[in-house]
Amino acid sequence: MKKLSESEIEKRLEELDGWDYVDGAIETSFEFKNFKDAFSVMTRIAFECESQNHHPDWSNVYNSLNIRLSTHDAEGVTERDFKLAHSIEEIIVSN
């Protein structure tokens, strides 16, 4: 998969609210009511990641979730990352 240029990434980020390009990856954070809600959404995201065979770097502390996406094989951001980011957004909105 082709690594996107910085200008392509910035253009694509206009489609995603709250996502930024930082140090070679796109990233965002979410805050939930409590740990149970955060973990529930993480579980739904995990199943989607598995179905796309594309896995984020992420961390969770109590009610917050930080997600960072890049395609390691391409050494940068690709269409796969944006596809997963959009899927994550759909999960968040439906929560």
Side-chain angles (χ1 to χ4, degrees):
M1 183 146 294
K2 175 179 124 6
K3 177 180 168 180
L4 299 175
S5 70
E6 200 164 319
S7 62
E8 290 172 313
I9 294 166
E10 292 297 338
K11 178 101 173 115
R12 293 293 310 273
L13 282 172
E14 293 174 8
E15 305 166 5
L16 293 166
D17 188 36
W19 290 76
D20 297 301
Y21 179 61
V22 179
D23 297 327
I26 57 173
E27 61 181 40
T28 193
S29 297
F30 300 104
E31 202 164 294
F32 302 91
K33 188 170 88 175
N34 53 41
F35 176 74
K36 182 180 89 172
D37 287 350
F39 195 82
S40 172
V41 170
M42 288 178 70
T43 301
R44 292 178 61 205
I45 292 170
F47 280 101
E48 181 61 30
C49 293
E50 195 63 21
S51 76
Q52 292 187 29
N53 194 31
H54 192 47
H55 305 91
D57 292 329
W58 63 358
S59 63
N60 162 248
V61 177
Y62 183 58
N63 68 335
S64 67
L65 171 60
N66 302 305
I67 301 174
R68 186 172 163 81
L69 301 174
S70 68
T71 304
H72 301 289
D73 294 346
E75 298 180 358
V77 177
T78 68
E79 288 298 327
R80 289 183 80 190
D81 301 302
F82 281 99
K83 180 181 177 192
L84 182 54
H86 282 285
S87 296
I88 289 169
E89 287 295 318
E90 288 176 20
I91 291 168
I92 295 294
V93 168
S94 70
N95 185 39

